[in-house]
Amino acid sequence: MALMDFIKKQFIDVIEWTEDSDGTLAWRFPMADMEIQNGAVLVVRESQMAVFVNEGQVADVFGPGTHKLTTQTLPVLTNLKNWDKLFQSPFKSDVYFFSTRQQLDQKWGTSQPITIRDKDFGAVRLRAFGNYAYRITDPKAFYTEVSGTRPAYPVGDLEGQLRGLVLQNISNAIAGSGVPFLDLAANQVMFADALTKELTPVFERLGLKVESMTVQNLSLPEDLQKILDQKIGMGMVGNDMGKFMQYQTAQAIPKFAEGSGSGGGGIAGDAMGLGAGVALGQVMAQNLAAGLQGSGNAPQPHAAAVAAAPAAGVKAEDVMATLEKLGELKSKGILTQEEFDSKKAELLKKLV
């Protein structure tokens, strides 16, 4: 009886992996000193693949199903072991199982803003995060490039590497898509598709396939977001500088009231507020002159003086502060050179 028990322990009749827990990508069947019995059964479940490895060299790969192990079902291993006829004795070989299920909800994200080229803005620093799913499709490549001879290879050991590949290819994905940043931000599915296309060959080299990619958020740093908001504001008024200054004036009026209510220090400290104040005076003067001309009465000397009063009352330091602020807007791409020169000429006339 003891002899029979010994024999049963030495030979393997059934090779299978029940995969009793999540998070394992590869698992080696524990052989110890045992050998595989001639005619043994290999059971590979629907979400698995199995690989026979002979002395470190990948031999036969099996997909889902129940396989009887013979020289016919192990052609590569038969060749490696130089079996010139049907083997009748047990043999030794490493057997690895690979999970082909989707590995879902893998997180990715930029810890710091990354710089990308954009045809609208030149260069943009952005933050993004989302998740993705992948699966093993080529167990031979995965064994060779990633898991190797380890008894088990968990998902967590690959997480950092894959996240790094995603971040590394964000810039290439956006540049390769040829889609402006604003369009990508408005269509995150388009961005995810561009990123998936860029990652596909990279993952394939590891024996993996990207099954899905989602972009949950795409944003700019706060300072760039403010500039973008101003750019959008100009676009809404058709890039008309006069209308944009009227818009800025309307935005600055509450600040004027707040500044005067708290002691009057707010206006001088806000360069945009000064620019808006100058524009407000200009608009009022133009409206007054237009009203006088429309009534058919020639402007009286005192009326002309009233109309010119806002311009005459402009301080040189206020004009210079406004010019400096307009210069910043031009350097950031919000104003064109022509718009800046036009406004500069208008402001300098007020000092004459």
Side-chain angles (χ1 to χ4, degrees):
M1 187 68 179
L3 179 60
M4 292 300 297
D5 291 340
F6 174 77
I7 293 176
K8 289 181 180 179
K9 291 180 181 178
Q10 298 302 306
F11 302 111
I12 302 171
D13 292 326
V14 178
I15 303 173
E16 63 180 339
W17 179 30
T18 57
E19 199 172 354
D20 55 357
S21 63
D22 293 331
T24 302
L25 293 172
W27 178 78
R28 185 176 67 194
F29 187 85
M31 289 291 184
D33 295 328
M34 297 184 294
E35 294 182 335
I36 300 173
Q37 180 75 11
N38 175 30
V41 174
L42 172 68
V43 179
V44 183
R45 289 170 171 79
E46 282 297 328
S47 59
Q48 300 173 353
M49 295 186 77
V51 173
F52 277 74
V53 179
N54 180 59
E55 297 179 356
Q57 187 173 356
V58 176
D60 299 280
V61 179
F62 291 86
T66 300
H67 310 274
K68 185 177 181 180
L69 302 179
T70 65
T71 51
Q72 285 78 23
T73 58
L74 292 166
V76 179
L77 189 63
T78 297
N79 182 63
L80 292 175
K81 289 185 175 293
N82 296 315
W83 292 328
D84 54 358
K85 58 183 178 180
L86 294 178
F87 65 89
Q88 300 296 327
S89 60
F91 66 95
K92 291 185 68 67
S93 176
D94 290 325
V95 182
Y96 292 86
F97 286 86
F98 297 86
S99 174
T100 58
R101 291 185 299 158
Q102 288 195 50
Q103 304 302 321
L104 303 172
D105 197 24
Q106 305 298 306
K107 307 293 186 182
W108 65 270
T110 56
S111 56
Q112 299 293 332
I114 60 172
T115 302
I116 63 168
R117 290 189 175 275
D118 182 76
K119 62 182 182 181
D120 285 347
F121 296 97
V124 174
R125 290 187 301 125
L126 62 82
R127 293 187 179 95
F129 66 84
N131 57 18
Y132 65 99
Y134 70 92
R135 73 166 81 236
I136 295 176
T137 55
D138 186 348
K140 182 176 180 179
F142 188 81
Y143 171 84
T144 304
E145 300 294 334
V146 182
S147 62
T149 59
R150 292 172 54 173
Y153 196 94
V155 173
D157 286 7
L158 193 59
E159 182 179 352
Q161 176 67 20
L162 297 184
R163 184 188 302 116
L165 290 175
V166 174
L167 299 182
Q168 177 182 331
N169 284 275
I170 288 179
S171 297
N172 295 337
I174 295 177
S177 69
V179 179
F181 167 76
L182 284 181
D183 293 338
L184 287 176
N187 190 340
Q188 295 179 352
V189 174
M190 184 187 299
F191 181 29
D193 290 343
L195 188 54
T196 299
K197 182 179 178 180
E198 195 71 25
L199 288 170
T200 295
V202 180
F203 274 54
E204 284 180 349
R205 287 194 288 269
L206 301 178
L208 307 174
K209 177 185 178 182
V210 181
E211 289 291 346
S212 64
M213 174 72 65
T214 63
V215 179
Q216 297 175 343
N217 182 266
L218 189 64
S219 61
L220 294 172
E222 185 177 353
D223 54 344
L224 288 180
Q225 187 63 53
K226 291 180 179 178
I227 296 174
L228 179 59
D229 291 342
Q230 291 180 327
K231 184 81 173 180
I232 293 173
M234 288 196 67
M236 293 175 66
V237 296
N239 291 317
D240 186 305
M241 186 58 190
K243 292 182 179 178
F244 182 69
M245 291 304 294
Q246 292 178 24
Y247 168 78
Q248 291 286 64
T249 300
Q251 294 295 312
I253 288 175
K255 295 184 179 181
F256 293 159
E258 181 182 349
S260 66
S262 60
I267 299 176
D270 190 344
M272 285 301 293
L274 288 173
V278 172
L280 179 60
Q282 182 182 358
V283 170
M284 293 174 63
Q286 291 173 351
N287 290 342
L288 179 58
L292 291 174
Q293 291 175 359
S295 65
N297 297 326
Q300 298 299 319
H302 69 277
V306 172
V314 174
K315 297 181 180 179
E317 56 267 24
D318 291 352
V319 173
M320 295 306 296
T322 303
L323 286 174
E324 290 178 4
K325 190 62 179 180
L326 292 173
E328 292 178 10
L329 294 175
K330 179 177 71 68
S331 66
K332 293 175 180 177
I334 296 176
L335 298 180
T336 64
Q337 183 65 48
E338 292 76 10
E339 291 169 338
F340 173 78
D341 291 341
S342 174
K343 192 61 186 175
K344 175 181 175 182
E346 292 178 13
L347 292 174
L348 292 178
K349 286 180 181 179
K350 301 179 183 301
L351 297 178
V352 178

